[in-house]
Amino acid sequence: MAAQPAGAPCWADAMFSDVEGAKSFYGDVLGWTFGEQSSEYGNYTQAYADGKAVAAVVPPMPGQEGHSQWCLYIASDDAEATAARIRDNGGEVLMGPMQVGDFGTMVLAREPSGAVFGVWQAGRHEGFEATGVPGAYAWAEVFTREPEKVDTFFPAVFSYRARQLQDDTMDFRMFQVGDTMAFGRMRMTDDFPPEVPPYINVYFTVADCDDAVAKATKLGATLRFGPMGTPYGRFAALTDPQGANFSVIDVTTTEGEMPKTTDV
């Protein structure tokens, strides 16, 4: 797969204190297999679905131990310029731009409401080798208590167009790159405990949502929401045994009419 266009989600990884535990969990739930650890790059270990690279797991760097979470990377043609726009629009650059051998250049950043995300300028590593198939990345959403900050920041940094869901029960917006939806933004309601910080929730495709949930909870995951049928697929939100939030979705099982959206 060629490098993703600027602004498109292109990769996902997560730090886990117990990498072997994470490999065992996601291997069972998502069917992943794993490559060799790259000791030169902090034991970074790629995950594969049907032989195609779809994500990675890595132990925390010294001083970074703590809560595990998935990080979504957004493609950039120029990581330096993207980092500058992040700073200029109220975001914080946490790391980089840092060249990772000949694989590419990375940035870790925090958007103004607090969610952490990555930027990736592809070199030899062009990102996801597959999407939308069982085990691969499907979708992502920024969960935030300050949607106005997110809604201003991402279009300014990545030149997104935005569409707002016409639904009185939720405040949901989607950011679009070209003709493709990049990811969504969801306002966090009072259902979220106050100690839960803003975060980006990554969805992985599964062949059967209910089966994936059963496997995950049996292995110690917490079911947060669902399984629920939607026009986009049947999905559920989970927290893995090490505290990382993620969702699973069966995109082949849809239910109901597509919701109306309007340009904003």
Side-chain angles (χ1 to χ4, degrees):
M1 177 179 285
Q4 296 295 308
C10 65
W11 191 243
D13 63 20
M15 286 186 180
F16 293 105
S17 297
D18 179 5
V19 171
E20 290 305 313
K23 288 164 65 175
S24 176
F25 174 82
Y26 286 99
D28 284 348
V29 174
L30 298 179
W32 286 351
T33 57
F34 294 88
E36 294 296 315
Q37 291 186 353
S38 175
S39 57
E40 185 182 354
Y41 299 106
N43 290 326
Y44 200 82
T45 305
Q46 288 203 143
Y48 296 86
D50 197 22
K52 298 185 182 300
V54 292
V57 296
V58 64
M61 292 178 287
Q64 298 290 317
E65 299 86 353
H67 183 67
S68 297
Q69 65 181 29
W70 282 98
C71 181
L72 181 74
Y73 291 79
I74 300 171
S76 169
D77 294 332
D78 185 334
E80 289 274 1
T82 302
R85 288 197 300 275
I86 288 169
R87 295 188 186 98
D88 290 346
N89 288 281
E92 180 185 358
V93 173
L94 304 174
M95 181 187 296
M98 180 176 75
Q99 190 161 338
V100 186
D102 61 354
F103 294 105
T105 302
M106 71 170 287
V107 174
L108 280 182
R110 183 182 286 118
E111 52 81 19
S113 83
V116 173
F117 67 99
V119 173
W120 183 253
Q121 179 184 341
R124 187 155 61 88
H125 193 299
E126 297 184 333
F128 298 127
E129 292 181 350
T131 57
V133 299
Y137 169 85
W139 180 244
E141 291 160 353
V142 183
F143 279 78
T144 177
R145 294 180 181 84
E146 300 176 287
E148 61 286 343
K149 290 185 177 179
V150 174
D151 295 349
T152 301
F153 174 79
F154 280 107
V157 175
F158 294 102
S159 301
Y160 294 135
R161 290 159 45 212
R163 294 188 67 83
Q164 184 76 20
L165 194 71
Q166 297 302 293
D167 188 330
D168 294 336
T169 65
M170 68 175 74
D171 180 355
F172 185 79
R173 184 168 291 200
M174 292 178 285
F175 300 113
Q176 186 171 338
V177 54
D179 296 327
T180 305
M181 291 298 173
F183 56 90
R185 186 275 296 151
M186 177 74 81
R187 179 194 289 268
M188 294 169 78
T189 64
D190 293 339
D191 294 338
F192 286 83
E195 66 271 15
V196 176
Y199 68 99
I200 296 182
N201 186 43
V202 175
Y203 288 66
F204 296 105
T205 309
V206 291
D208 184 312
C209 178
D210 296 72
D211 181 55
V213 168
K215 287 178 180 175
T217 52
K218 184 178 180 181
L219 293 168
T222 302
L223 179 63
R224 298 296 183 192
F225 183 83
M228 177 182 175
T230 76
Y232 303 102
R234 185 167 176 81
F235 84 98
L238 296 149
T239 303
D240 77 15
Q242 297 187 59
N245 296 307
F246 72 105
S247 289
V248 292
I249 185 166
D250 168 11
V251 295
T252 66
T253 304
T254 58
E255 187 178 306
E257 297 290 322
M258 280 289 185
K260 291 187 171 68
T261 61
T262 55
D263 284 319
V264 289

